[in-house]
Amino acid sequence: VIPRYAPGYHPAGQLAEWGSRALGYLIDGVVPTIATFVLLLVGVLIAAGVSASGSASAAGITFGVVAVIVLLGMSAFQIWNLCYRRGVRGQTLGQQVAKIKTVGEQTGAPVGFGTAFVRQLAHFVDSIALCIGFLAPLWDEKNQTWADKMVGTVVVLAPGEAGGHPQQPTGYPQPGYM
């Protein structure tokens, strides 16, 4: 059986390798997690200061208010980054660093907020069986996770960034050629 696409190629662009996808995912997940932890730690320190000068209940309320603000803020940031930004621009902040983007398999264009949101929800299926769905791009013909297959997306190299280097214009001698 001949594969439908040559390895690594899709009409929407050069398919992103698993390592680039993992890098983008780590940046999108680890950075907000660390920021949340640091901000909650600040909340604990503020509550400890309130507790030292007043009652324990005031400290608990203070920490509760700080925690709610931090968690709502981080949730809003994640929805903006993982759903809005990916849906409208095709890239999360982590994908921008990794020089990859998520596009519709049929259109090659950003998929919109709704599809990006459903894709995020579908990642639950990727994680059900020991996160095997996140590893699926290692053997899948189109380097797709199960969530990608469910919503019809592929992850490709961002234009002009093939191999992590800007593409050189063709037809012109490179600097130092002559």
Side-chain angles (χ1 to χ4, degrees), residues 138-164:
L138 290 170
W139 61 79
D140 185 77
E141 178 181 281
K142 294 184 249 174
N143 299 1
Q144 291 175 299
T145 63
W146 296 341
D148 287 321
K149 289 186 176 302
M150 285 188 261
V151 298
T153 57
V154 290
V155 178
V156 296
L157 297 179
E161 299 172 357

Side-chain angles (χ1 to χ4, degrees), residues 4 11 37 44 74 100 117:
R4 200 168 124 178
F37 176 77
V44 167
M74 282 301 155
I100 59 177
F117 182 78

Side-chain angles (χ1 to χ4, degrees), residues 14 20 91 95-101 156-168:
Q14 180 69 31
S20 297
Q91 289 182 305
Q95 287 181 313
Q96 187 173 355
V97 171
K99 298 177 176 24
I100 59 177
K101 66 180 183 169
V156 296
L157 297 179
E161 299 172 357
H165 302 286
Q167 292 179 336
Q168 296 294 323

Side-chain angles (χ1 to χ4, degrees), residues 51-132:
S51 176
S53 65
S55 70
S57 64
I61 291 170
T62 301
F63 178 73
V65 168
V66 169
V68 166
I69 291 170
V70 167
L71 295 176
L72 286 175
M74 282 301 155
S75 295
F77 171 79
Q78 287 293 64
I79 290 169
W80 170 80
N81 187 39
L82 300 175
C83 301
Y84 176 78
R85 194 174 151 88
R86 175 181 279 139
V88 173
R89 296 187 63 189
Q91 289 182 305
T92 63
L93 294 172
Q95 287 181 313
Q96 187 173 355
V97 171
K99 298 177 176 24
I100 59 177
K101 66 180 183 169
T102 303
V103 297
E105 185 175 1
Q106 300 299 318
T107 65
V111 295
F113 177 86
T115 301
F117 182 78
V118 171
R119 183 179 182 272
Q120 278 308 118
L121 296 176
H123 277 312
F124 173 74
V125 175
D126 288 330
S127 65
I128 288 176
L130 303 172
C131 296
I132 298 289

